[in-house]
Amino acid sequence: MSSNVNDAFATPKSDVAGTTIGNNNSGNAITTGIVDQLKRTRPWVLLISIVGFIFTALMAIGTVGIFFGGGAAMMGGPGMPPGIGGGGLIIGMGVMYLIMTILYFVISLFLLKYAGAIKRFVASGTSQDMETALKHQASFWKLIGILTLLTIVIMIVMMVVGIGGALMGGAF
């Protein structure tokens, strides 16, 4: 006995005729709205990535300058004994800048990979390319989240050390 009555327990389905770009194996369609939103996002992701690489290059140049400045301060100037002038502090600052330069490079690289994956997805419309794009986006946000938590922890530690130093020094 055949019936035209819909199965009340069947998975709901929507008819989005004419809007499907691709289809993955589970039957979920990638709509033109999804593709359009990613198309609109890509130029901004690419811009931030390129600006990030430019700032990374400027920081790398600055880092080299800091290391040379620290080395010169360690050698001392005319009439100054070697090691006077805070060269160690400058070298420490150079190391911090080097770490920041590497982090900015990695962040910009994640964004560049995300922009490239969006371009491939828009061209192909496959769920695999969309998954790759989202994987690169997730990597970016994971790194930003870890750096945010690390920054908060460092700030708390510095406040505790600062307050402890002030108390030990008799500032209160």
Side-chain angles (χ1 to χ4, degrees), residues 23-111:
N23 204 349
N24 63 21
N25 293 335
S26 65
N28 297 325
I30 299 170
T31 65
T32 55
I34 293 170
V35 176
D36 185 52
Q37 291 302 318
L38 283 172
K39 268 190 213 178
R40 291 172 51 193
T41 303
R42 185 179 179 274
W44 296 106
V45 172
L46 195 57
L47 173 72
I48 298 300
S49 173
I50 291 169
V51 169
F53 281 123
I54 291 169
F55 283 134
T56 299
L58 293 173
M59 283 186 70
I61 292 168
T63 301
V64 170
I66 289 172
F67 278 126
F68 279 129
M74 294 281 286
M75 292 190 324
M80 286 177 79
I84 300 286
L89 179 65
I90 295 173
I91 294 293
M93 202 167 76
V95 169
M96 185 182 74
Y97 265 76
L98 180 62
I99 291 169
M100 288 173 46
T101 301
I102 292 168
L103 286 173
Y104 283 172
F105 177 80
V106 171
I107 289 169
S108 299
L109 186 62
F110 282 159
L111 287 176

Side-chain angles (χ1 to χ4, degrees), residues 106-141:
V106 171
I107 289 169
S108 299
L109 186 62
F110 282 159
L111 287 176
L112 185 65
K113 286 181 177 183
Y114 177 46
I118 290 173
K119 183 178 183 178
R120 284 189 300 279
F121 166 66
V122 168
S124 72
T126 65
S127 60
Q128 291 83 11
D129 286 336
M130 183 176 175
E131 186 177 328
T132 301
L134 294 175
K135 181 185 82 167
H136 290 302
Q137 182 191 44
S139 296
F140 166 78
W141 286 112

